Structure formats: structure tokens, C-alpha cells
Amino acid sequence: MPLRSRFVILILFAWIVFSFAGCSPDGQQDDEKEPHFLLGKSRVQAMDYQGAIEAFEDSLDVNPHSAAAHFELAWLYDEKESDPAAAIYHYRQYLKYNPNASNADVVRQRITSCKQQLAADVLPLPSAPAAQQQLEKLAEQNRQLQDEVNKWRAWYATQTTKTNSIPEPLPKTAVIPDNPPAVPQNNSTETPTTPRRAENPTPAATHSKTHAVLAGETASAICRKFGVKLSALQSANPGVNLSKIRVGQVLNLP
């Protein structure tokens, strides 16, 4: 075989080997030497995760088929940026351009986990049994509150009835003496003596009649009710401000 033919065959063989090396998983080493990729790795070491994402995105602009750049972006979005949708996309691209990756099973598990997280964020609805339990709990709380309201209503009605049922003192129409005179017989010629009201009653008899103020009553209304003057009522209750009487307050009646 001529020397020239051997040289051509050798060149073709070297080109084939080089091509297969670039397409194999080991060919990712060339992707990892890309300047933007190296910059992203250095930023990860410095914990500048946002800057690392930008560097790896630039690396994909240079080589869109870089499985290594897709993997770096996937785990950054997964663990550092909490963006499950972006993480799923780059994980899938990584498996697409590196189908024989040794960590393929782990990557698929991470894809499933990101899907679950995405579903929980988008549709946080309770299950049917949980919703039913929540409704039953709310119904029970509503029933308890209604019972409390009914108890307070009954108590208020009782207090109102007690207030309105305070008996009013009967008006005093006559002063009966302790020892009334004996009534004479029919055959007596003496004229029966009519008991007379004491002209100067003692102070004890003057303030023996009282009245408990009812709801809505005023001093003027009490005077009209018992036929007394406002000045007399004031004299019978020295020290009391008749314009500010309160329910249940006991007043002396003249």
C-alpha cells in the first residue's frame, strides 16, 4: 500500500476516534473546559448562586447541547432557587444529551420530586376526607356558638323580667292611730269622734314611704305619679341630685 494511502487512512481513523469521543459521556470533559462553565463553577464555590446560573446560561448559549451545563443549572434551580419547573427542564435536557449517565436514576427521582413540589404549589387543595372533616368541625363550632347565644338571650330575658316585676309601694291614704277610740253603741247619745290626722307628724312618719326608681322614670314622673311637688320630693331627699337618679335607687316620698 502506498505511503500516501496509509497516511490518509490514519487521518480518517483519528478523525473518527475524535468524533466518537466528543459524542460519548466522557466527552463532557470538553464542555466543562468552556470558559463560561468554569466561571459558573467558581461562582458556585463562592456561593454566588445567581451569578453561577447566569454563567451556565452563557455556557449553553455557546454550546446548547452541553449536558454538564444543564446538570449544573438543574441542581441550582432545584436546591438553591426553589424553581421546580426550571429544574425539571434542565434535568430532562441533561438526560437527553447524556442518556448513559451514571446518575440517571437519581436524576429521575429528582424530576419526580420536583413534579410533586410543583403540584403542591399550584394546587394546594385538601383531600375529600380532610375537607369533610373540616366542614364537620366548622358545623360543630357553629352549633356551640349558637348555644352560647341562646343561653345569653335567656339570661337577659330573666334579668329584664326581674327588673320590670319590682312591686310599687302602695300609696298611703290615711294615718291610723295606734289606739283608735272605741265605737259607741247605737243607744248612746254621744256622737262618735272621728279620728283626726296629726297636724305635726313626726319626722319618722314623714319619711316612712319610699319608692324604688324604675327603668325610664324621672323625678318629674315620680312626682306626677304620687301627686307630690318636686320641691317636696327634694326636701325629703336631701343630698340627692334628682336630675341624675338611677334605676333601683330608693327615694323618700313626702
Side-chain angles (χ1 to χ4, degrees):
M1 180 180 294
L3 181 61
R4 183 177 179 181
S5 299
R6 291 180 180 180
F7 182 73
V8 172
I9 292 174
L10 182 61
I11 292 176
L12 291 174
F13 179 76
W15 180 81
I16 293 173
V17 171
F18 177 79
S19 299
F20 278 103
C23 296
S24 65
D26 295 336
Q28 294 180 20
Q29 295 179 357
D30 295 335
D31 297 337
E32 296 176 1
K33 295 179 182 179
E34 198 274 324
H36 295 97
F37 185 90
L38 295 175
L39 178 60
K41 295 293 286 187
S42 65
R43 288 179 176 176
V44 170
Q45 294 294 329
M47 292 188 294
D48 180 11
Y49 301 117
Q50 187 60 42
I53 289 175
E54 294 176 359
F56 289 127
E57 292 286 357
D58 293 338
S59 180
L60 285 179
D61 290 339
V62 176
N63 182 11
H65 298 167
S66 175
H70 279 295
F71 180 78
E72 295 294 335
L73 286 169
W75 81 264
L76 283 171
Y77 281 119
D78 185 6
E79 299 184 10
K80 302 301 179 181
E81 294 296 324
S82 298
D83 189 345
I88 291 172
Y89 169 76
H90 288 289
Y91 276 136
R92 286 177 173 174
Q93 294 298 104
Y94 169 71
L95 293 178
K96 176 181 178 180
Y97 297 119
N98 190 9
N100 298 322
S102 58
N103 61 344
D105 293 337
V106 176
V107 170
R108 293 188 183 94
Q109 292 177 3
R110 293 308 307 164
I111 291 176
T112 302
S113 177
C114 289
K115 288 180 179 179
Q116 293 173 352
Q117 180 182 352
L118 187 62
D121 294 340
V122 173
L123 193 63
L125 296 178
S127 59
Q132 183 64 27
Q133 293 177 359
Q134 186 69 15
L135 289 175
E136 293 176 357
K137 183 178 179 181
L138 292 175
E140 178 64 19
Q141 292 177 351
N142 184 59
R143 186 189 64 79
Q144 293 176 358
L145 291 174
Q146 188 62 41
D147 291 342
E148 291 293 331
V149 171
N150 293 336
K151 290 179 181 178
W152 280 108
R153 284 178 177 175
W155 179 86
Y156 179 76
T158 303
Q159 297 302 314
T160 305
T161 302
K162 289 181 179 179
T163 302
N164 294 333
S165 62
I166 296 177
E168 296 182 7
L170 297 175
K172 213 167 192 179
T173 57
V175 177
I176 301 176
D178 294 334
N179 298 316
V183 180
Q185 300 295 330
N186 293 334
N187 54 2
S188 175
T189 58
E190 297 179 0
T191 303
T193 303
T194 302
R196 299 177 63 186
R197 184 185 301 271
E199 295 180 359
N200 298 319
T202 61
T206 302
H207 302 300
S208 61
K209 185 177 180 182
T210 59
H211 172 69
V213 179
L214 301 178
E217 280 189 333
T218 62
S220 299
I222 294 173
C223 291
R224 289 193 300 271
K225 183 176 183 179
F226 294 102
V228 299
K229 295 183 178 181
L230 185 62
S231 58
L233 183 63
Q234 183 65 71
S235 299
N237 297 272
V240 177
N241 188 351
L242 296 181
S243 62
K244 296 183 179 179
I245 58 176
R246 61 183 182 277
V247 177
Q249 185 175 0
V250 179
L251 300 177
N252 296 319
L253 297 178

